[in-house]
Structure formats: C-alpha cells, structure tokens
Amino acid sequence: MNAEWLRYFVTVAQARNFHAAATELHITPQALSKAVAGLEKQLNLKLVERDRRVEGLTAAGEVFLQEARAILRSIENAERAMAEWRGSEPMGPVAIAGDGLWYHYLLPPILADLIQRFPKVRPQLHEMPPDDVEHWVATGKADVGLLLSPPKRAEFEWVEGMRTPYVIAGLPQEKRPWQELGYIVPRFFRREMPESLDGWPEETHPRRIVAEVELLETAIHLCEAGVGVAFLPELSIQERIAQGTLAVVAEAPRAFADHLFIIWRKGVHPTAPARELLSALKAL
C-alpha cells in the first residue's frame, strides 16, 4: 500500500478540503485528487464523499482513516528507530509550537542547555494560537506543543508542567491598593474575547485602564516607561524584578496563574531531540 497516498488521504480527511490539503502538502489539487482516487481503486471502496468539494468521509472512509493513521505512525516509528541506529547523538530539527509566554521567557535557557549538550540539534519555534498548536502536533508538523490549558483533542500524550502566578507590576514604588493604579491591559483587537486575557476578574473588580496592547512584551515596556502597571505572569518579569527595573506594587484581589501543558502525539515515538526537550520540560 502506497504510504504517500495514505498521508494524502489523512490530510484530506483532516482538512475536509482538497485545495487546503493540497496547499499543506505542497502539491496540486489535481495530483491529490488522483492519489485519493487511486487509493479508492486499490481498496475497491469509496472513501471520500465529494462532488466539486469534500462533503465528508464515507462510513468506510471513517474506519480507514483510523487504520491509515495507525499505519503512518508505525512507519514513522520505524524510520525514527532506524535513524537512531545510524547515529547515537541527538541531531536534526525539533519543532515546537506554542504560546509567546513560554517561548520568550521559558524556552531560551532550556534550548541553550540542549544545544550546548547536543550541538547538532536545531530547534524550530512556531508561535500560534492553541487550536493551531494542537493541529500542528496532531499532524506531525510540530514535535512538541506548549499550551496554557489541557488539550481538547484526544490524540495526545500530555503532562502538566510548571505554573507561573500573576502579579501587579510597575515601576518600583511603595505598595498601594490596586484600585488606585492605572492598568495596561492585553486585548485581541481583531476578535471579541469573553474575558480579559490576563485573568483579571474584570466583572467583579473593574480597573482603571490607561492603555490596551496585544503583546505581553509591549505591556512590560510600557510599565518600565511609567505609563501604568500591569497584571503580569511572574515568569515574564522575574529578571526585571531582580534587576530592580520593575517591582510588585500591589496585591491583586484574586490569585491567578498560567499553567504549562506539554503535548506530543500519542503512539508516535518522539525523535531523539524531542525526547531530550520533553525530559527538560517535564523536570520543571
């Protein structure tokens, strides 16, 4: 059975669209459609309901999707096992998908240590929203995913890692009641959010807002410039607090923390670089 055709079929099944799947696979929609048709001819079964677009999988297609995924996982595991026989030192890319908090403030020292121990490892960092993180890990485009909450999908192994509490931070000053301060607040301007991105209980403890930003690092720089204070993950400002450029300036009305959830594909043997990274993250 043609492994490439299996991969094409799984990609179509996940995307539910020939054009989107072809773009992801870097082939033409015509080549993709021909490959799926060839697979259906080989099996003597219709797998995909389609006219001009994918309308879904047939009942046989749904069953075959699970088998195809299992076959591709087995092939991938075999390839990785043989790669390790060819060389004992971890090497090559390790793709990580996640949130900016972990990328900017957690991963740098971990990756520096990893590369020092294994100079041939090449980290690839992809910053994206949580749903995209899960998609990238599930489809094998990323080896490891970093999330702020447990994964929604079932095809992952995952563990909960470290947590970082939030604190009200600003220029060094005597502590004051939180109500007296002006706040820099994170917002996604391009879509409506049901609650504040920083976990502040806005519905019961409304703040006086002096600025709104999309990036955590922008909020930190505005705090350093004296524009206001912000409710920030301690991980992101611990070096600045140690250096004295920022300080905890008030007690928040409610405790809040970000939790690190580490995900990887279930049933797939991680590459040697991914195993080393997972080991370092789990030890936090």
Side-chain angles (χ1 to χ4, degrees), residues 5-15 64-65 68-69 72:
W5 284 4
L6 292 180
R7 185 164 62 89
Y8 288 180
F9 168 71
V10 169
T11 305
V12 169
Q14 290 167 340
F64 187 69
L65 175 61
R69 282 174 170 160
L72 290 173

mmCIF file of all heavy atoms in Angstrom, residues 5-15 64-65 68-69 72:
data_model
loop_
_atom_site.group_PDB
_atom_site.id
_atom_site.type_symbol
_atom_site.label_atom_id
_atom_site.label_comp_id
_atom_site.label_asym_id
_atom_site.label_seq_id
_atom_site.Cartn_x
_atom_site.Cartn_y
_atom_site.Cartn_z
ATOM 1 N N TRP A 5 0.130 7.897 -0.529
ATOM 2 C CA TRP A 5 -1.314 8.017 -0.712
ATOM 3 C C TRP A 5 -2.034 8.031 0.636
ATOM 4 O O TRP A 5 -3.016 8.750 0.809
ATOM 5 C CB TRP A 5 -1.821 6.852 -1.557
ATOM 6 C CG TRP A 5 -1.510 6.974 -3.023
ATOM 7 C CD1 TRP A 5 -0.782 7.958 -3.631
ATOM 8 C CD2 TRP A 5 -1.911 6.068 -4.050
ATOM 9 N NE1 TRP A 5 -0.695 7.724 -4.973
ATOM 10 C CE2 TRP A 5 -1.389 6.567 -5.268
ATOM 11 C CE3 TRP A 5 -2.647 4.899 -4.066
ATOM 12 C CZ2 TRP A 5 -1.589 5.928 -6.488
ATOM 13 C CZ3 TRP A 5 -2.847 4.256 -5.278
ATOM 14 C CH2 TRP A 5 -2.324 4.762 -6.476
ATOM 15 N N LEU A 6 -1.565 7.223 1.567
ATOM 16 C CA LEU A 6 -2.179 7.219 2.898
ATOM 17 C C LEU A 6 -2.045 8.591 3.554
ATOM 18 O O LEU A 6 -2.996 9.098 4.156
ATOM 19 C CB LEU A 6 -1.510 6.169 3.784
ATOM 20 C CG LEU A 6 -1.715 4.697 3.419
ATOM 21 C CD1 LEU A 6 -0.976 3.814 4.420
ATOM 22 C CD2 LEU A 6 -3.191 4.341 3.394
ATOM 23 N N ARG A 7 -0.861 9.181 3.439
ATOM 24 C CA ARG A 7 -0.646 10.502 4.026
ATOM 25 C C ARG A 7 -1.538 11.542 3.359
ATOM 26 O O ARG A 7 -2.102 12.416 4.032
ATOM 27 C CB ARG A 7 0.840 10.881 3.886
ATOM 28 C CG ARG A 7 1.216 12.175 4.562
ATOM 29 C CD ARG A 7 2.733 12.269 4.716
ATOM 30 N NE ARG A 7 3.405 12.261 3.419
ATOM 31 C CZ ARG A 7 3.666 13.369 2.717
ATOM 32 N NH1 ARG A 7 3.311 14.552 3.193
ATOM 33 N NH2 ARG A 7 4.294 13.294 1.568
ATOM 34 N N TYR A 8 -1.694 11.442 2.048
ATOM 35 C CA TYR A 8 -2.558 12.371 1.330
ATOM 36 C C TYR A 8 -4.008 12.222 1.803
ATOM 37 O O TYR A 8 -4.700 13.218 2.037
ATOM 38 C CB TYR A 8 -2.495 12.097 -0.174
ATOM 39 C CG TYR A 8 -1.209 12.509 -0.853
ATOM 40 C CD1 TYR A 8 -1.029 12.306 -2.221
ATOM 41 C CD2 TYR A 8 -0.171 13.104 -0.144
ATOM 42 C CE1 TYR A 8 0.144 12.685 -2.863
ATOM 43 C CE2 TYR A 8 1.014 13.480 -0.769
ATOM 44 C CZ TYR A 8 1.159 13.261 -2.123
ATOM 45 O OH TYR A 8 2.320 13.637 -2.760
ATOM 46 N N PHE A 9 -4.457 10.976 1.940
ATOM 47 C CA PHE A 9 -5.833 10.731 2.370
ATOM 48 C C PHE A 9 -6.081 11.291 3.769
ATOM 49 O O PHE A 9 -7.110 11.936 4.027
ATOM 50 C CB PHE A 9 -6.138 9.227 2.336
ATOM 51 C CG PHE A 9 -7.411 8.856 3.033
ATOM 52 C CD1 PHE A 9 -8.652 9.173 2.497
ATOM 53 C CD2 PHE A 9 -7.379 8.198 4.271
ATOM 54 C CE1 PHE A 9 -9.830 8.847 3.160
ATOM 55 C CE2 PHE A 9 -8.541 7.862 4.938
ATOM 56 C CZ PHE A 9 -9.773 8.186 4.376
ATOM 57 N N VAL A 10 -5.145 11.068 4.695
ATOM 58 C CA VAL A 10 -5.303 11.570 6.065
ATOM 59 C C VAL A 10 -5.361 13.098 6.070
ATOM 60 O O VAL A 10 -6.171 13.699 6.782
ATOM 61 C CB VAL A 10 -4.149 11.062 6.960
ATOM 62 C CG1 VAL A 10 -4.143 11.795 8.304
ATOM 63 C CG2 VAL A 10 -4.284 9.558 7.183
ATOM 64 N N THR A 11 -4.550 13.740 5.238
ATOM 65 C CA THR A 11 -4.550 15.202 5.181
ATOM 66 C C THR A 11 -5.875 15.724 4.641
ATOM 67 O O THR A 11 -6.427 16.701 5.153
ATOM 68 C CB THR A 11 -3.380 15.706 4.317
ATOM 69 O OG1 THR A 11 -2.161 15.164 4.818
ATOM 70 C CG2 THR A 11 -3.294 17.224 4.348
ATOM 71 N N VAL A 12 -6.414 15.078 3.613
ATOM 72 C CA VAL A 12 -7.728 15.463 3.075
ATOM 73 C C VAL A 12 -8.810 15.276 4.138
ATOM 74 O O VAL A 12 -9.680 16.131 4.331
ATOM 75 C CB VAL A 12 -8.067 14.637 1.815
ATOM 76 C CG1 VAL A 12 -9.531 14.835 1.421
ATOM 77 C CG2 VAL A 12 -7.173 15.037 0.658
ATOM 78 N N ALA A 13 -8.753 14.154 4.839
ATOM 79 C CA ALA A 13 -9.753 13.873 5.868
ATOM 80 C C ALA A 13 -9.722 14.920 6.976
ATOM 81 O O ALA A 13 -10.770 15.298 7.516
ATOM 82 C CB ALA A 13 -9.518 12.475 6.449
ATOM 83 N N GLN A 14 -8.540 15.396 7.322
ATOM 84 C CA GLN A 14 -8.421 16.402 8.379
ATOM 85 C C GLN A 14 -8.845 17.780 7.888
ATOM 86 O O GLN A 14 -9.529 18.522 8.597
ATOM 87 C CB GLN A 14 -6.979 16.452 8.885
ATOM 88 C CG GLN A 14 -6.581 15.220 9.682
ATOM 89 C CD GLN A 14 -5.083 15.124 9.914
ATOM 90 O OE1 GLN A 14 -4.292 15.743 9.212
ATOM 91 N NE2 GLN A 14 -4.688 14.337 10.895
ATOM 92 N N ALA A 15 -8.464 18.140 6.654
ATOM 93 C CA ALA A 15 -8.772 19.471 6.130
ATOM 94 C C ALA A 15 -10.199 19.567 5.595
ATOM 95 O O ALA A 15 -10.778 20.650 5.569
ATOM 96 C CB ALA A 15 -7.789 19.826 5.023
ATOM 97 N N PHE A 64 -11.298 3.566 7.680
ATOM 98 C CA PHE A 64 -9.976 3.507 7.069
ATOM 99 C C PHE A 64 -9.072 4.631 7.584
ATOM 100 O O PHE A 64 -7.854 4.455 7.676
ATOM 101 C CB PHE A 64 -10.099 3.590 5.548
ATOM 102 C CG PHE A 64 -8.789 3.376 4.840
ATOM 103 C CD1 PHE A 64 -8.182 2.132 4.849
ATOM 104 C CD2 PHE A 64 -8.155 4.420 4.189
ATOM 105 C CE1 PHE A 64 -6.967 1.926 4.209
ATOM 106 C CE2 PHE A 64 -6.940 4.228 3.549
ATOM 107 C CZ PHE A 64 -6.343 2.978 3.555
ATOM 108 N N LEU A 65 -9.652 5.783 7.945
ATOM 109 C CA LEU A 65 -8.861 6.895 8.478
ATOM 110 C C LEU A 65 -8.089 6.466 9.721
ATOM 111 O O LEU A 65 -6.906 6.775 9.866
ATOM 112 C CB LEU A 65 -9.777 8.077 8.796
ATOM 113 C CG LEU A 65 -9.114 9.294 9.471
ATOM 114 C CD1 LEU A 65 -8.027 9.876 8.581
ATOM 115 C CD2 LEU A 65 -10.174 10.346 9.794
ATOM 116 N N ALA A 68 -5.324 4.113 8.623
ATOM 117 C CA ALA A 68 -4.265 4.835 7.917
ATOM 118 C C ALA A 68 -3.376 5.581 8.899
ATOM 119 O O ALA A 68 -2.150 5.597 8.759
ATOM 120 C CB ALA A 68 -4.888 5.800 6.898
ATOM 121 N N ARG A 69 -3.995 6.211 9.881
ATOM 122 C CA ARG A 69 -3.201 6.914 10.899
ATOM 123 C C ARG A 69 -2.289 5.944 11.644
ATOM 124 O O ARG A 69 -1.123 6.263 11.914
ATOM 125 C CB ARG A 69 -4.144 7.624 11.881
ATOM 126 C CG ARG A 69 -4.745 8.923 11.350
ATOM 127 C CD ARG A 69 -5.767 9.465 12.303
ATOM 128 N NE ARG A 69 -6.181 10.822 11.944
ATOM 129 C CZ ARG A 69 -7.301 11.385 12.354
ATOM 130 N NH1 ARG A 69 -8.143 10.713 13.147
ATOM 131 N NH2 ARG A 69 -7.598 12.622 11.998
ATOM 132 N N LEU A 72 0.653 4.967 9.380
ATOM 133 C CA LEU A 72 1.631 6.054 9.246
ATOM 134 C C LEU A 72 2.438 6.241 10.527
ATOM 135 O O LEU A 72 3.637 6.533 10.482
ATOM 136 C CB LEU A 72 0.908 7.354 8.873
ATOM 137 C CG LEU A 72 0.324 7.389 7.454
ATOM 138 C CD1 LEU A 72 -0.508 8.646 7.249
ATOM 139 C CD2 LEU A 72 1.429 7.314 6.406
#
